[in-house]
Each structure stands twice: as structure tokens, then as C-alpha cells.
Amino acid sequence: QLQLAESGGGLVQAGDSLRLACAASGSTASSHGMGWFRQAPGKEQELVPGVSWSGKSTYYAESVKGRSAISKDTAKNMAYLQINTLKVEDTAVYYCAASSLGGPRGPWDYWGQGTQVTVSS
């Protein structure tokens, strides 16, 4: 059973950069696809970026394309999300997820508890 724990959220200013981390435990995440979701109040949950188990295939939502990067560190059992040029509309709870099938777009079997990111203007 894979457990996921996010860290790195907080209050930042528009234009700043942020790096979120997802620590996997209980099993190895090396064979899993990893993804980051976010959910803002009153909005649907959105897959922001996803990466395949090999790291060779990625997906980015239009909302963050060109200013974000997802990565995996298999040796450390970690996944990361970097978002640059943050916008107020990036404010949300960010969740890390893992897919046993290994693709960058799920389906998602494991979820973290989430970390709040608040971007002030």
C-alpha cells in the first residue's frame, strides 16, 4: 500500500515560484505514474501535471503549461511540482496522486492529504 504526503505549500506572492514535494512510503513509487491535482473552492478538481512511471511521458493542463514542471526522483521515492510565475488563480489545495497503471493521466489509486497553496496579489 502506497502512502503519499505532500509538503511545500504556503502563502506566496503572485509572480513567485513554488516547489511542492510528494513523499511516497509503504511501497516503491518507481512503477507508478504520478500526478498533481488541485482544487479551489467552488471549482472542480483539476489534474495539473502528470508523469508516467518512466518519466518519459508527461501531461500538463493548459492553465500551467509553459510555467510548470513535474518530476520524479525514483531513488528518493519522491515526486515534485514546480510552478513559476504564480497567479492568484493558482490558489488551491494541491494533492499528489499515484497510478498503478503507470500512465501520466491515471487512473489514480493513491492520494495524499493535500497541501494548501495561497497566492496573494
Side-chain angles (χ1 to χ4, degrees), residues 7 14 23-24 35 51-52 57 59 62 65 71 85 96 111:
S7 61
V51 62
S52 64
S57 180
Y59 163 81
E62 286 297 322
K65 192 174 291 184
S71 59
T85 320
C96 176
W111 294 84

Side-chain angles (χ1 to χ4, degrees), residues 109-120:
D109 307 289
Y110 305 100
W111 294 84
Q113 293 298 309
T115 184
Q116 175 72 45
V117 173
T118 303
V119 184
S120 65

Side-chain angles (χ1 to χ4, degrees), residues 20 33 38 75 82 84 88:
L20 302 179
R38 67 184 181 185
Q82 174 87 22
N84 303 316
V88 171

